[in-house]
Amino acid sequence: LESGVSDQGKFYRMLLLLASQSGNLLNVNEISNTLKITNATVENYLYVLQKCFHITLVRPFYNNIRKELTKMPKVYINDLGLRNVLINYFSPLEQRADKGAVLENLAFRVLSERYDQDQIKYWRTADGNEVDFVVETSYLRGFAVEVKFNEQDAKPNKYNKFTQNYPDFPLEFWWWRKMNLMV
């Protein structure tokens, strides 16, 4: 009650929605329409979930701060066990249809243990180019991470636009076996 959660059922359904779309763009209007609650209520619930450390919103990476503030964030669940319980999916990672999302969420958790959450962003263009994470270690310097389940899925040429535009952000590929050693 103190946090302003007036409808516990819709709050819980929103958490279920967020768990099922972990690593995806967060569209407040879409959630509002789906749950038939106001945008202000969605924003309040997001605030509560962030303050309770259930979710983290990752902002986009841009040189232009105005664009960064107006673009949609990506949402990550801070506890992958909670995510599995919410979506009721416990299969081994190799057999999961959502293994890419799980692995990306795990990569976010690894990065967030090493860097401030303000330093972790994602990069995406209107024409569909995307890099999972861009970590700013200092002003316009850092590194980028693309997460793939298998090493052979990493295709460096696909990311030429990013590497040409941001040469001070070397691109690393993280895959399942490599991440096992990191965790």
Side-chain angles (χ1 to χ4, degrees):
L1 290 174
E2 288 177 27
S3 61
V5 174
S6 56
D7 188 332
Q8 293 175 10
K10 290 192 178 184
F11 180 80
Y12 179 72
R13 283 197 304 266
M14 187 173 116
L15 183 54
L16 287 173
L17 275 173
L18 297 176
S20 68
Q21 65 182 40
S22 179
N24 290 325
L25 294 177
L26 176 68
N27 187 327
V28 170
N29 290 328
E30 185 178 294
I31 293 172
S32 171
N33 291 335
T34 301
L35 298 176
K36 297 182 181 8
I37 56 179
T38 65
N39 284 9
T41 301
V42 171
E43 294 286 353
N44 180 55
Y45 290 179
L46 289 170
Y47 177 78
V48 170
L49 289 169
Q50 288 176 87
K51 289 299 177 186
C52 292
F53 304 103
H54 291 303
I55 66 167
T56 300
L57 301 182
V58 173
R59 295 261 163 229
F61 173 75
Y62 284 99
N63 281 336
N64 181 335
I65 192 70
R66 247 185 226 179
K67 279 189 178 180
E68 183 176 317
L69 294 175
T70 60
K71 297 290 183 179
M72 285 188 276
K74 287 172 85 173
V75 63
Y76 291 96
I77 302 294
N78 290 329
D79 182 335
L80 284 165
L82 175 62
R83 179 187 183 271
N84 289 341
V85 167
L86 289 168
I87 64 173
N88 195 28
Y89 200 1
F90 302 100
S91 298
L93 186 62
E94 294 81 12
Q95 299 170 8
R96 293 178 69 134
D98 67 343
K99 62 185 164 200
V102 172
L103 199 56
E104 184 177 328
N105 205 128
L106 178 61
F108 169 73
R109 294 299 312 138
V110 168
L111 288 169
S112 66
E113 289 175 12
R114 297 177 182 171
Y115 301 95
D116 289 337
Q117 290 179 351
D118 300 8
Q119 293 176 283
I120 305 168
K121 304 200 175 178
Y122 75 93
W123 180 78
R124 184 181 209 149
T125 63
D127 58 351
N129 291 298
E130 183 178 2
V131 172
D132 292 327
F133 300 104
V134 178
V135 180
E136 293 181 288
T137 55
S138 63
Y139 183 70
L140 292 180
R141 287 198 162 299
F143 65 96
V145 173
E146 181 63 21
V147 180
K148 298 293 181 196
F149 186 75
N150 294 308
E151 186 176 359
Q152 60 268 24
D153 294 337
K155 311 273 188 244
N157 292 341
K158 183 178 174 192
Y159 305 95
N160 283 342
K161 190 170 189 176
F162 178 83
T163 56
Q164 289 168 0
N165 287 329
Y166 301 102
D168 291 330
F169 289 84
L171 180 62
E172 300 177 12
F173 289 94
W174 289 6
W175 54 90
W176 177 234
R177 293 197 197 294
K178 182 177 182 178
M179 287 181 63
N180 271 335
L181 300 173
M182 299 169 97
V183 207

